[in-house]
Amino acid sequence: MGLLSRASYVVRSKLNAVLNRAEDPTETLDYSYEQMRDELKDVERGLADLVAQKKRLEVQRERLQENVEKHNEQAREAMRQDREDLARRALEKKQSKLASIEEMEEQIASLESTQSDLEEKKSQLQERIERFRTKKETMKARYEAAEAQNRVSEAMTGVGDEMADVGRAVERAEERTEEMEARAAAMDELTERGVLEDQFSDEDAIDRELSAGRADREVEAELETLRAERGTDTSKGTERETNASASEAASDETDAASDTADAAVEESNVDESAVEAELEELREEEEDDSTA
């Protein structure tokens, strides 16, 4: 197979595939039906033209027959006037007209035969078109039912193009939702850890840690009050536990203050000696409070 033949074959195969995808059987059936109706109209027009031609020949034949009668009268009149030469001429014209009439009759007979054939073919074509119309409507109904069933099956199984698009849209929505949920959780975690500041709050990380320490002390104070209400014997053990808890809380608070101070030093680049002096004062205050 030569290069041009291969190229032609490939092009035809591609076009055939495109046409198969674009073809609608119902439209094809309707188009075929219209084509057959056009053929019937052509036959009817041809039959009408043939009948008209036959009518024209019949009219001409009648005129020739009238001329034949006229030439007969002319011949008789010429003989009465003893004009044999005129009679001969009239008879000659009569014979010419008779020959034309005979030829026309043959043509008319041929046209009548053709007309009969066309009328029979027209009747057969009409029957064929009627059968095709019935079959066309049946095929269209079957095709539309099969198409509807196919759409329902695709919708139920999710294999159709539209359902596939819907499935992909749902997957993208789930992925986007999970991404947004993860991002929100990360932002909340960073905010709680103090990595990110709340732009609408006046508190910073140090203020939040100090507030947490005050809350712990308030809780411990309330617990001490509850322990004192239990009685003298239990109050002694409770006092020791309270003192131990206060010591641990003071130690934890001191460590948190130390860590917070270190972070503040790195962020603000202040004098380390000044920060250490303030921290020492805070430790002494906490120790005094614990001793008291």
Side-chain angles (χ1 to χ4, degrees), residues 20 23 33 39 47 57 77 109 111 121 123 125 136 141 154 167 177 180-181 183 186 197 202 216 226 269:
N20 286 336
E23 182 181 9
Y33 178 70
E39 291 179 0
L47 182 60
L57 290 176
E77 182 66 22
L111 291 176
K121 290 180 179 179
S123 177
L125 183 58
K136 173 181 73 71
E154 289 182 352
T177 301
M180 295 297 291
E181 290 175 350
R183 183 176 179 83
E197 297 289 343
D202 294 333
D216 291 339
L226 293 174
N269 294 324

Side-chain angles (χ1 to χ4, degrees), residues 140-244:
K140 286 178 63 176
R142 289 180 57 192
Y143 177 80
E144 291 174 356
E147 187 179 25
Q149 185 177 4
N150 184 56
R151 286 197 300 267
V152 172
S153 299
E154 289 182 352
M156 294 295 293
T157 57
V159 299
D161 293 336
E162 293 182 359
M163 295 305 297
D165 293 338
V166 171
R168 286 192 293 269
V170 171
E171 291 178 359
R172 289 195 297 271
E174 290 179 349
E175 292 176 357
R176 183 61 177 169
T177 301
E178 292 175 356
E179 180 182 352
M180 295 297 291
E181 290 175 350
R183 183 176 179 83
M187 297 293 291
D188 291 340
E189 180 181 349
L190 292 174
T191 302
E192 291 177 357
R193 293 173 56 188
V195 177
L196 297 178
E197 297 289 343
D198 188 356
Q199 300 298 324
F200 298 97
S201 176
D202 294 333
E203 294 184 351
D204 56 6
I206 298 174
D207 293 331
R208 285 194 294 271
E209 291 188 13
L210 293 176
S211 296
R214 285 194 296 270
D216 291 339
R217 286 197 299 271
E218 291 176 358
V219 171
E220 291 297 332
E222 291 182 1
L223 287 173
E224 180 63 25
T225 301
L226 293 174
R227 293 189 187 101
E229 292 176 356
R230 293 180 60 185
T232 304
D233 295 336
T234 57
S235 64
K236 294 180 181 180
T238 304
E239 287 177 359
R240 287 194 298 270
E241 292 176 359
T242 304
N243 291 332

Side-chain angles (χ1 to χ4, degrees), residues 79-104:
M79 291 301 293
R80 283 194 294 269
Q81 295 181 10
D82 199 17
R83 293 289 305 275
E84 187 175 343
D85 56 335
L86 291 177
R88 183 181 296 277
R89 288 171 57 188
L91 292 175
E92 289 176 352
K93 289 184 177 182
K94 173 186 174 183
Q95 293 299 321
S96 177
K97 296 296 191 299
L98 289 174
S100 298
I101 289 173
E102 185 177 358
E103 182 180 358
M104 286 184 179

